[in-house]
Amino acid sequence: MTVRTAELLMAIATLLLSLGLMMKVYFDGLTIGWVDGRGPGAGVWPFWLSAGMALASLATLIRWFMGVTPESRSTEDYISRDTLFIVGVSAAALLGLLISITIIGTYLSLMLFMLLYVRFLGGHSWGMTMGMVIGTPVFIYLLFEVALTKYLPKGLPIFEEGFLWLDNFRYEWFY
Amino acid sequence: METILIPLGAGLLQAFEPLNLFMIITGCLAGLFVGCMPGLGSVNGVAILLPVTFLVPPTAAIIFLAALYYGAMYGGAISSITLGIPGASTAVATVFDGRPMAQKGKADSALMAAAIASFIGGTVSIILFTLFAPPLAAFALKFGPQEEFALMLLAFATFIGLGGDDIPKTIFSILLGLVLAAVGFDIISGQPRLIFFDMVEFQRGIGFLVLAIGVYGIGEMLWTLESTKGKVQMHNVKITWARMRSNFGQIREYINSTWVGSILGFFVGTLPAAGATPAALMSYGLAKTFSKDPDSFGKGNVAGVAAPEAANNAASTGSMLPMLTLGIPGSPTTAILLGGMIIWGLRPGPLLFTESPDFVWGLIGSLYIANVATVLLNIALIPVFIRVLAMPFTLLTPIIFVLCVLGVFATTDRMFDTWIMLIIGVTAYLLRKLNYPVAPAVLAIVLGPLAERSMRQSLISSQGDAMTFLERPISLTCVLLAVALATYPIIQKAVRNRRSRRAA
């Protein structure tokens, strides 16, 4: 897809998003007009700002048709093959990280994420990979759970229970 | 003068407290590190590390983040010079002469000039900040909700008039940020608004940190991965004591452009849309214009490194002036700092000087110390940071991603927000590739709730009469300025068209 096509599609998408937001505010029954003696209703801010977004998107569409923006004249690839690989894999790895955090918990997910990124994407040595795979969860545990006292997600109960011994150990010995 | 010197002394003493001093040094180091990594700047560092600062009291937290902001401005020059890739957009102008100097084997001289100019820029701007902040805050005490709203209008108009980006795209970005800020319960009527798919999670709204980390953590890293492809070409830097001494003696060659850059940087930095990048570019332009040898610029003139570095450092302090005195951030980084202040339970604005003097003066005092600490750490650790630069992106990226995900979770305790962060991050990356500016959206999501509240408060108190914004002199001035700024690009274009028609 060229940058030119991407700009057109993005302008259409932003226009549809803006119209969708306006409809959402309107159909939720929020007052989008002036209330006598009180000023704007609850829906005025989001409704009219979304209308502004729609107008701005329309302006971009018109400028695209007129070839005003540099992007509307560019025939370069929007996302090149190389970029698609590195950015696509990174975004997919992040998506995988978020999914796995809810299933197997933060720490196991972090280990898998580091393994994937450092060893398979970065091509680093096993020594470096293992350092990151073990070091990152330890650092995160100390920073978030010990110092910031935040209970990070541990996943499904089976994984959570497996992790409880560590917390028990910490509370038994250090508090 | 006493009203400034006494609290400043107390602020300096506070900055020397062990915890605060530790925060200054760690902040400077973190900033130098973040700043020198290609593609990462102060805004990324502040966004990613803000959740971690909940470990310490607010004063220590803001001292850490301000020191980080400072350090990043210094650090940006390191990669601009040794890699030829700006550490952040603020260091773009440093590449123009920094890279040719490195190619000629004078990287150490350029790095030294950058450090010294940054120090001078920082010092000048802190002194100006100390002088201007208290009277401006005292003046701002007269502001009611009308003036607050008019000022915010002015901040957004600055993005349209001076941002230099595509105007419809800038307007879209501002409005998107404002609409996202409206998700959740209405502040006046309590009615739920924009609860998408009836998901209860949206009732708590979309936090500014979710948007900021999405845009500056995830989106920016994806952008950096694309632009560097993980590969960088570094120049060799030879550093010896003898060379350092001779580099120090070179100061006479760039001192004048450094002074000019410092003062210009401070004032440009106070404007919401302008900030450090245009300040550095303007300072570079001025240094070139008034140079005896303008042709040498772009080919390795040391003044071409010093001028933008002095300006970007001065601008970072300048951007804190409207944040602390008026509650209007002067840059995306200060927008995140302002959001942080709200999380810490402080109310940004003129009352901060009277309600939380310890916080304000502690911060100002720490800026003096941070400036000295950063220049010393910068010069001493140049060899270390050059090694850091050789660190592959495939090691840094996963660490940043993990900090982003867990930072967002730690702030809100909801996995839902991490999903929103990922969606926002990928969208910001795709939008940025099409020249949609993302900084206005971050500023808008921070200012959105404040802007809506002040607008509606004004209208309720005037019983729905919109003329209230035009009846008060300060508010009227701001509204007129906002209109002038918003229409400035249109007028400018019309004038240009008329001139070209006449010329034809």
Side-chain angles (χ1 to χ4, degrees):
Chain A
M1 182 169 45
T2 62
V3 172
R4 182 176 151 76
T5 316
E7 183 168 60
L8 174 69
L9 292 178
M10 187 61 86
I12 295 172
T14 54
L15 178 63
L16 292 176
L17 169 79
S18 316
L19 294 175
L21 287 168
M22 287 168 72
M23 282 168 62
K24 172 81 183 147
V25 176
Y26 183 76
F27 289 115
D28 279 351
L30 296 167
T31 316
I32 57 165
W34 215 256
V35 183
D36 270 343
R38 281 191 63 83
V44 166
W45 185 266
F47 183 84
W48 293 104
L49 292 180
S50 305
M53 280 166 59
L55 286 177
S57 307
L58 262 179
T60 304
L61 269 177
I62 293 166
R63 283 158 67 85
W64 183 88
F65 278 111
M66 289 167 68
V68 178
T69 60
E71 290 76 25
S72 63
R73 299 189 298 269
S74 170
T75 50
E76 280 177 33
D77 276 345
Y78 178 51
I79 298 180
S80 68
R81 194 164 286 201
D82 286 357
T83 306
L84 191 65
F85 175 73
I86 195 153
V87 172
V89 169
S90 298
L94 259 172
L95 184 71
L97 176 69
L98 293 188
I99 295 171
S100 61
I101 282 179
T102 50
I103 300 169
I104 59 173
T106 307
Y107 298 99
L108 286 175
S109 306
L110 284 185
M111 293 169 102
L112 287 176
F113 181 71
M114 285 294 162
L115 184 70
L116 171 85
Y117 219 100
V118 178
R119 179 68 198 174
F120 299 112
L121 203 63
H124 295 282
S125 66
W126 274 111
M128 173 64 83
T129 307
M130 291 321 287
M132 294 290 277
V133 164
I134 297 164
T136 312
V138 171
F139 170 72
I140 293 296
Y141 182 80
L142 293 175
L143 176 65
F144 285 94
E145 306 236 5
V146 178
L148 282 169
T149 58
K150 284 281 168 192
Y151 190 76
L152 295 179
K154 304 287 187 306
L156 297 174
I158 184 169
F159 293 102
E160 189 165 23
E161 278 164 22
F163 216 89
L164 281 178
W165 68 268
L166 185 64
D167 286 332
N168 286 340
F169 174 79
R170 179 157 68 92
Y171 282 102
E172 212 167 286
W173 287 91
F174 293 99
Y175 295 97
Chain B
M1 206 62 189
E2 264 179 35
T3 51
I4 292 176
L5 288 178
I6 294 170
L8 178 63
L12 282 167
L13 280 177
Q14 204 181 344
F16 273 111
E17 281 173 19
L19 174 67
N20 294 342
L21 203 57
F22 174 74
M23 295 315 276
I24 290 173
I25 291 167
T26 11
C28 292
L29 280 172
L32 281 165
F33 176 77
V34 167
C36 81
M37 295 314 292
L40 291 182
S42 56
V43 66
N44 314 92
V46 168
I48 297 164
L49 292 178
L50 179 62
V52 180
T53 62
F54 299 139
L55 267 173
V56 291
T59 310
I62 192 120
I63 283 175
F64 170 79
L65 294 175
L68 191 152
Y69 192 8
Y70 237 93
M73 289 293 159
Y74 275 80
I78 302 175
S79 59
S80 290
I81 293 163
T82 53
L83 299 180
I85 303 169
S89 65
T90 50
V92 168
T94 315
V95 179
F96 302 159
D97 278 274
R99 186 163 169 78
M101 281 184 80
Q103 282 166 338
K104 289 179 190 168
K106 292 184 192 167
D108 58 326
S109 170
L111 287 167
M112 190 72 159
I116 294 171
S118 297
F119 176 72
I120 295 173
T123 311
V124 168
S125 61
I126 300 165
I127 294 170
L128 288 173
F129 181 91
T130 315
L131 294 174
F132 279 102
L136 189 59
F139 175 69
L141 280 174
K142 293 175 191 156
F143 289 8
Q146 287 88 342
E147 283 78 14
E148 270 176 31
F149 179 69
L151 260 176
M152 287 179 212
L153 212 59
L154 183 59
F156 292 124
T158 330
F159 268 101
I160 300 168
L162 303 178
D165 295 302
D166 184 305
I167 293 171
K169 289 176 183 173
T170 309
I171 295 175
F172 179 83
S173 181
I174 294 171
L175 298 179
L176 179 66
L178 290 173
V179 171
L180 287 180
V183 173
F185 288 104
D186 174 30
I187 40 170
I188 306 280
S189 67
Q191 284 177 283
R193 299 189 298 187
L194 298 173
I195 310 299
F196 304 109
F197 315 110
D198 290 328
M199 292 170 78
V200 282
E201 284 87 351
F202 281 112
Q203 289 180 355
R204 266 170 61 176
I206 297 173
F208 90 95
L209 206 59
V210 177
L211 185 90
I213 294 184
V215 169
Y216 289 111
I218 307 295
E220 195 98 346
M221 277 316 290
L222 294 178
W223 176 266
T224 310
L225 277 174
E226 177 183 346
S227 50
T228 61
K229 303 270 190 306
K231 293 171 198 143
V232 283
Q233 180 69 45
M234 193 152 62
H235 289 283
N236 260 341
V237 186
K238 289 178 205 149
I239 299 173
T240 58
W241 276 112
R243 283 179 73 116
M244 274 176 93
R245 270 203 307 274
S246 85
N247 289 335
F248 202 78
Q250 224 181 3
I251 197 165
R252 260 171 281 148
E253 289 177 36
Y254 54 81
I255 190 73
N256 288 337
S257 47
T258 303
W259 287 121
V260 174
S262 307
I263 296 167
L264 176 88
F266 176 79
F267 289 105
V268 175
T270 57
L271 300 172
T277 311
L281 289 165
M282 284 162 79
S283 172
Y284 181 84
L286 273 181
K288 189 178 173 180
T289 310
F290 292 105
S291 168
K292 286 174 192 158
D293 185 16
D295 291 339
S296 65
F297 275 74
K299 294 172 191 159
N301 188 324
V302 70
V305 174
E309 277 303 305
N312 71 24
N313 250 55
S316 66
T317 316
S319 65
M320 286 197 212
L321 183 75
M323 174 193 80
L324 280 180
T325 54
L326 309 173
I328 309 281
S331 67
T333 315
T334 43
I336 298 170
L337 287 179
L338 190 113
M341 281 158 68
I342 297 170
I343 297 179
W344 296 321
L346 297 160
R347 185 177 146 75
L351 281 174
L352 204 62
F353 274 77
T354 40
E355 283 175 356
S356 316
D358 289 354
F359 177 84
V360 176
W361 288 102
L363 170 65
I364 296 174
S366 79
L367 290 178
Y368 284 86
I369 315 295
N371 198 29
V372 178
T374 318
V375 74
L376 295 177
L377 286 171
N378 187 7
I379 294 173
L381 297 177
I382 283 174
V384 177
F385 284 112
I386 287 166
R387 292 246 169 89
V388 166
L389 277 179
M391 182 173 159
F393 253 74
T394 39
L395 284 182
L396 185 69
T397 309
I399 297 172
I400 290 179
F401 280 157
V402 166
L403 279 178
C404 288
V405 170
L406 300 180
V408 164
F409 179 84
T411 316
T412 61
D413 282 320
R414 298 191 305 176
M415 273 310 283
F416 174 78
D417 284 327
T418 60
W419 288 99
I420 298 285
M421 173 205 67
L422 180 62
I423 294 167
I424 287 173
V426 175
T427 313
Y429 163 75
L430 295 174
L431 284 171
R432 198 179 155 185
K433 278 180 73 69
L434 292 169
N435 203 20
Y436 281 81
V438 288
V442 175
L443 192 77
I445 203 164
V446 174
L447 291 184
L450 307 172
E452 188 185 4
R453 189 182 57 204
S454 53
M455 182 191 84
R456 291 174 69 185
Q457 268 179 349
S458 312
L459 290 168
I460 288 170
S461 63
S462 70
Q463 293 176 327
D465 181 10
M467 290 305 286
T468 183
F469 296 108
L470 306 178
E471 282 163 355
R472 298 162 67 110
I474 301 172
S475 157
L476 174 69
T477 315
C478 291
V479 170
L480 290 178
L481 273 173
V483 172
L485 270 172
T487 50
Y488 170 70
I490 302 166
I491 296 165
Q492 196 186 27
K493 200 179 170 188
V495 170
R496 245 187 242 157
N497 284 348
R498 186 182 283 183
R499 268 192 206 152
S500 58
R501 248 184 269 141
R502 263 189 209 163

